[in-house]
Amino acid sequence: TTSKPYKRAKPAAYRHSRLHTTPTTEDPNALQLPELGLWGAPGRTIPDGRYYLTDRLCNKVLDLVNGSTADGTDGIQWSWNGGTDQQWDVAYLGNGQYQLTGVASGKLLEITGGSTANGAASQIWPSNGNNWQKWNIRPSADGFFKVLNVNSGKSLDVQNNSTADGTAILQYNDIGASNQQWLMPIAP
């Protein structure tokens, strides 16, 4: 058998793909497709880009307290206002891991102090290469994703299922709840 690779004209994440074929002159009604393979980078679930992370619970986005860019600023949820403090550059690091860099601050989202405890805060800090600044982004359901800290294995979570602006974004055991699911549209 012969393998013939084709590359997408515009690399991106797709929910559906369509295969167009052209009939041959031998038999215009015949199509032989013994095997079709779709390959990508192992563990890569979204392309690099600028996103805002919208929680499924109440459609609010990952933001920072008072839009601050200071080291140690806590992550919170807030209604979308288009600010750069609500936008995150997501970059694939390989091995299924990503980093989330705040557009306004240029700092990475992490779990404070490398904690593995439930309830530990998400914060921004300069890059230090530690696993608490790395995230696994995994499909959840209906186009939403789980954002799991590499160091703790715990999920990015809206505290106490709150729908209020200013609610802390922290880590908690992954239970698949709607306050732990994130839509990741590309920032306008």
Side-chain angles (χ1 to χ4, degrees):
T1 64
T2 303
S3 247
K4 185 163 184 171
Y6 294 91
K7 292 187 178 183
R8 292 194 179 273
K10 183 178 177 188
Y14 295 93
R15 184 178 302 256
H16 305 282
S17 293
R18 180 178 294 171
L19 178 65
H20 290 278
T21 61
T22 304
T24 65
T25 54
E26 293 88 37
D27 186 352
N29 297 317
L31 172 65
Q32 290 185 338
L33 189 63
E35 187 174 315
L36 175 65
L38 300 173
W39 291 272
R44 187 176 190 137
T45 53
I46 62 169
D48 291 357
R50 184 162 291 171
Y51 296 87
Y52 53 100
L53 281 74
T54 307
D55 95 82
R56 184 174 197 155
L57 177 68
C58 64
N59 205 34
K60 294 189 178 182
V61 299
L62 173 60
D63 199 340
L64 298 167
V65 172
N66 298 321
S68 177
T69 59
D71 291 356
T73 300
D74 287 344
I76 58 170
Q77 76 174 358
W78 202 267
S79 298
W80 171 252
N81 62 29
T84 55
D85 54 310
Q86 297 182 329
Q87 298 175 36
W88 301 88
D89 286 332
V90 177
Y92 186 63
L93 302 172
N95 203 27
Q97 301 174 358
Y98 293 83
Q99 68 182 20
L100 284 71
T101 306
V103 171
S105 67
K107 296 175 182 170
L108 298 181
L109 185 70
E110 71 169 50
I111 295 300
T112 186
S115 175
T116 59
N118 282 334
S122 65
Q123 297 181 331
I124 55 166
W125 285 94
S127 177
N128 60 31
N130 288 315
N131 281 341
W132 55 82
Q133 292 186 329
K134 297 175 185 174
W135 303 89
N136 290 308
I137 299 174
R138 297 201 176 123
S140 181
D142 303 324
F144 287 84
F145 295 89
K146 297 177 183 184
V147 181
L148 305 165
N149 188 261
V150 168
N151 185 59
S152 67
K154 295 188 176 181
S155 186
L156 207 55
D157 179 287
V158 177
Q159 187 176 27
N160 296 326
N161 288 305
S162 176
T163 59
D165 281 343
T167 300
I169 304 296
L170 39 76
Q171 72 175 3
Y172 203 83
N173 290 334
D174 177 26
I175 59 172
S178 61
N179 66 321
Q180 296 180 337
Q181 296 179 38
W182 301 88
L183 189 62
M184 298 184 68
I186 294 174

